[in-house]
Amino acid sequence: MLEVETPGGVSIAEAARRTGVSVHTLRYYERAGLVVTEVDRTASGRRRYQQLDLAWITVCTKLRATGMPIRTIRRYAELVAEGPGNERERLALLEEHREEVVAKLAEVRESLETINHKIDVYRGRLAAGDADRLWAPDRSRQG
C-alpha cells in the first residue's frame, strides 16, 4: 500500500522506503542523536516523519556513505539543531571531511589504475595466446 504524505507526515515504513534505509536504521539514527528535530508521533505513539526529517536523514546517509563517523555526524547534527551562529564550525567540519573523502577517492583511483593495468595484461596475454605465461606462484619451489 502506497502512502501519500499528509500534513501529519509519513509512517516509519514509508520514511524508510523514501530514504532508502531500513526501519532499524531510522530508529538507530534517532537514538544516536543524528536527527536534528524530534520526530513527530501520533496520539498512539507511532512515528510520523516530515519532509524536513526525510531530507535530513538523506544527508546523514550520504555523509555516512562517504565514511563520516557517527560521532562526527552527531556533532554536525548538534550544530544544525543549535540553529544560527555556528555556521563556521559546520563549514569547517564539512571541509575537513571533504579533504578526507578527496584523499580516499585518490586512493581508490590509484587502486583502479592497478586493476585496469592487470585487466589489460590479462586481455593482451589471452589475445596473444600465451596466458599460461602469466605469473602464478610455483609452490614446488618452496623450501
Side-chain angles (χ1 to χ4, degrees), residues 40-128:
D40 291 336
R41 297 215 179 229
T42 64
S44 62
R46 294 184 186 270
R47 289 171 174 86
R48 299 303 294 177
Y49 290 85
Q50 304 301 319
Q51 186 56 45
L52 178 66
D53 301 318
L54 302 178
W56 180 256
I57 289 163
T58 300
V59 169
C60 288
T61 59
K62 297 297 183 189
L63 294 174
R64 195 69 193 113
T66 60
M68 183 180 276
I70 293 292
R71 71 181 174 280
T72 307
I73 298 172
R74 182 181 302 114
R75 179 62 187 142
Y76 182 55
E78 289 168 354
L79 291 169
V80 170
E82 287 174 11
N86 58 28
E87 292 81 3
R88 289 189 192 281
E89 192 174 348
R90 293 184 219 175
L91 176 61
L93 184 147
L94 292 170
E95 286 177 334
E96 182 180 328
H97 183 63
R98 180 183 59 192
E99 288 176 21
E100 293 169 8
V101 170
V102 167
K104 286 179 193 173
L105 282 171
E107 186 178 322
V108 169
R109 282 189 189 104
E110 185 178 320
S111 297
L112 181 59
E113 287 176 20
T114 299
I115 292 168
N116 286 335
H117 171 73
K118 296 303 289 180
I119 288 170
D120 290 344
V121 168
Y122 275 82
R123 284 183 177 155
R125 292 294 178 105
L126 286 167

